[in-house]
Amino acid sequence: MASFKIEGGRLLSGTIIPQGAKNEALEVICATLLTSEVVTIHNIPDIRDVNNLIQLLKDIGVKVKSEYSEHSDYSEKSRTYTFQADQLDLKYLESDEFVQKCAALRGSVMMIGPLLARMGKAIITKPGGDKIGRRRLDTHFMGFKCLGAKFHHIECRNVYEIGAKKLKGTYMLLDEASVTGTANIVMAAVFAEGTTTIYNAACEPYIQQLCHMLNSMGANISGIGSNLLTVVGVKSLHGTEHRLLPDMIEVGSFIGLAAMVGDGIRIKDVSLKNLGIIPDAFRRLGVKVETDGDDLYIPRQKHYVVDSFIDGTIMTLADAPWPGLTPDLLSVLIVVATQGRGSVLFHQKMFESRLFFVDRLIDMGAQIILCDPHRAVVVGHDRKLTLRASRMSSPDIRAGIALLIAALSANGTSTISNIEQIDRGYENIEGRLNALGAKIERI
């Protein structure tokens, strides 16, 4: 198990380019299973979760080729992959080894829809991922059932076999606007007979990207960008070329980093129109976020003052489905709030274990009241009291990057263990931050 050794108290400056979007990558890579033709995807991030999914596709017989290409004027490398799923190993898809590998990777759940659509069946068990609370798959299963799929629990193997001779289009109202659920159902519905209407669908940019990619492959999906998607079934899909958006969670993480320890940081090529209210969430904490074309620039601030509501009540930030605030950034926003002037109530509605990482921040000297598993009040230090260095462990991807930002702002040398969690979502994070002036050592 690797750790980061971080020397805190150093100001960072310069330009950084966000990686390709992790969540979009997991969706569109699984979508390559829907055709026997070549699909080319650009800007794939070199991170653990994505690499493990690519390896899983190789294991089931997908032909995968990769290459690096130089990124514009900044000497950053982006990865291009081609996928061709023309000879899938059906026996391996039913093996215990395949099921065990899926269980270790949350993103593998999005293979179910494409496999069900193209092969007529799939076998799954409960997938892994972050330890952030209950992440149920009911929405996925309800959608597949609406399309006509049958479920069979194989008790001796503790797996579910999902099958359908022919999926049929229908109307469905999802019980929640699940991002992965929407992606899975859309991919299953592209080959369904007739028209599928999905109401209360997730509509975040990465779902939009998936739908646009499927349409470029020959699918017939309308309502993209809304919560009402209509999918008219087609007989087959062909190959295409697709480029991932920048990762909005990484962009938000870099805004938080710049607010805490920045001496002027430019975040390059962020796809501003696809960031939603993320920049405004930081502005509510008093952070200056300037736009310059498609770049963001965060200047050095000695102090930032938290807004209050018009009636003078305490600022509240809560997560919500898109276009609301993504839950993946609440951890970073909490760290930023520890050094603001003012108080903030954070309400994490979607996961019941994601706020427990604040115990580490309290150990570092942050003034945080954990009200319950879903709510925490942060009383900012206004930079009058700097966080203390500490030894800690990363419980999940987003808490991991938040703790890293806290360690960079702290006095002294901190150690973060279990950084494999951070590696799941952030590409070469220590190298990229060291290029801005940080001192992070992987040990």
Side-chain angles (χ1 to χ4, degrees):
M1 184 178 292
S3 300
F4 278 149
K5 182 179 177 182
I6 306 110
E7 183 182 303
R10 301 166 68 97
L11 289 179
L12 312 187
S13 62
T15 298
I16 193 165
I17 301 175
Q19 67 191 28
K22 167 185 177 277
N23 292 337
E24 181 187 348
L26 297 176
E27 294 172 12
V28 300
I29 288 172
C30 288
T32 65
L33 293 169
L34 287 165
T35 179
S36 61
E37 297 185 15
V38 174
V39 177
T40 302
I41 304 176
H42 302 285
N43 201 30
I44 292 181
D46 185 8
I47 54 177
R48 186 180 295 267
D49 274 12
V50 170
N51 292 340
N52 286 345
L53 180 62
I54 291 172
Q55 183 58 52
L56 195 57
L57 263 62
K58 289 180 180 178
D59 291 342
I60 65 174
V62 179
K63 299 185 182 76
V64 181
K65 296 180 181 178
S66 65
E67 63 183 48
Y68 279 93
S69 58
E70 294 299 320
H71 185 288
S72 66
D73 300 325
Y74 285 88
S75 299
E76 290 282 337
K77 290 184 176 179
S78 61
R79 299 197 304 172
T80 295
Y81 273 85
T82 60
F83 301 84
Q84 187 170 17
D86 58 343
Q87 292 181 328
L88 296 182
D89 186 343
L90 299 182
K91 287 185 178 180
Y92 186 77
L93 283 167
E94 298 178 357
S95 69
D96 288 338
E97 181 181 346
F98 173 71
V99 171
Q100 289 169 3
K101 287 184 177 181
C102 289
L105 177 64
R106 178 76 189 178
S108 66
V109 71
M110 284 179 288
M111 296 173 63
I112 305 171
L115 290 174
L116 182 61
R118 189 171 168 203
M119 301 299 168
K121 64 179 179 179
I123 295 179
I124 66 158
T125 187
K126 184 178 179 181
D130 288 325
K131 307 303 180 187
I132 56 176
R134 187 171 60 100
R135 303 177 77 179
R136 61 189 182 86
L137 299 178
D138 298 58
T139 305
H140 304 242
F141 291 168
M142 289 169 61
F144 297 146
K145 282 184 177 180
C146 287
L147 293 171
K150 304 293 184 183
F151 289 76
H152 174 58
H153 185 216
I154 306 174
E155 292 187 11
C156 62
R157 298 173 64 194
N158 194 28
V159 298
Y160 285 91
E161 187 178 88
I162 309 171
K165 289 184 179 179
K166 182 64 180 177
L167 297 176
K168 293 188 177 181
T170 186
Y171 169 87
M172 64 181 79
L173 173 61
L174 303 188
D175 63 331
E176 64 175 358
S178 165
V179 175
T180 55
T182 300
N184 235 340
I185 294 165
V186 167
M187 289 188 282
V190 291
F191 291 156
E193 188 178 275
T195 300
T196 301
T197 304
I198 309 167
Y199 196 23
N200 196 28
C203 56
E204 67 167 17
Y206 304 144
I207 289 289
Q208 297 176 39
Q209 285 281 98
L210 171 67
C211 292
H212 288 310
M213 173 178 154
L214 291 172
N215 278 350
S216 72
M217 296 169 69
N220 187 346
I221 305 170
S222 57
I224 299 172
S226 76
N227 67 348
L228 181 63
L229 292 175
T230 302
V231 185
V232 180
V234 297
K235 297 296 184 182
S236 64
L237 297 182
H238 52 73
T240 191
E241 192 167 346
H242 180 79
R243 183 174 183 84
L244 301 183
L245 289 174
D247 194 308
M248 69 169 79
I249 311 304
E250 192 171 70
V251 171
S253 301
F254 293 154
I255 296 173
L257 173 83
M260 290 287 283
V261 296
D263 191 21
I265 291 180
R266 177 177 294 272
I267 310 170
K268 190 75 178 168
D269 300 332
V270 300
S271 188
L272 187 60
K273 66 178 182 179
N274 289 301
L275 291 182
I277 65 171
I278 289 173
D280 285 336
F282 286 94
R283 290 183 180 118
R284 287 184 178 184
L285 297 183
V287 178
K288 291 181 181 178
V289 182
E290 301 173 1
T291 60
D292 181 10
D294 212 23
D295 298 353
L296 294 179
Y297 180 74
I298 297 85
R300 172 65 177 166
Q301 287 179 259
K302 290 185 177 180
H303 303 277
Y304 45 94
V305 181
V306 178
D307 284 346
S308 58
F309 288 116
I310 294 174
D311 61 0
T313 54
I314 185 173
M315 172 58 59
T316 300
L317 289 176
D319 60 334
W322 184 271
L325 180 61
T326 170
D328 284 346
L329 276 177
L330 281 191
S331 302
V332 173
L333 286 160
I334 287 171
V335 170
V336 173
T338 65
Q339 294 302 315
R341 182 189 300 164
S343 300
V344 193
L345 170 64
F346 289 93
H347 193 171
Q348 166 60 270
K349 299 176 181 178
M350 298 174 71
F351 302 106
E352 64 268 19
S353 302
R354 213 165 199 172
L355 291 183
F356 291 151
F357 89 103
V358 302
D359 288 344
R360 282 83 161 178
L361 297 178
I362 294 170
D363 290 341
M364 298 175 77
Q367 297 185 82
I368 302 176
I369 303 166
L370 185 59
C371 307
D372 55 45
H374 292 278
R375 295 176 302 162
V377 175
V378 180
V379 181
H381 287 312
D382 193 21
R383 298 197 194 273
K384 294 175 181 177
L385 180 63
T386 306
L387 297 178
R388 298 186 297 267
S390 179
R391 296 182 65 89
M392 42 200 158
S393 177
S394 172
D396 63 74
I397 301 174
R398 308 309 175 186
I401 199 69
L403 292 174
L404 179 58
I405 293 170
L408 287 166
S409 73
N411 282 330
T413 301
S414 298
T415 303
I416 303 176
S417 61
N418 195 30
I419 60 170
E420 288 80 6
Q421 286 285 356
I422 301 175
D423 291 337
R424 289 177 49 216
Y426 293 84
E427 179 178 337
N428 184 27
I429 190 64
E430 74 273 26
R432 298 160 75 200
L433 298 187
N434 285 345
L436 298 179
K439 191 173 182 181
I440 306 170
E441 181 184 359
R442 182 180 291 258
I443 54 177

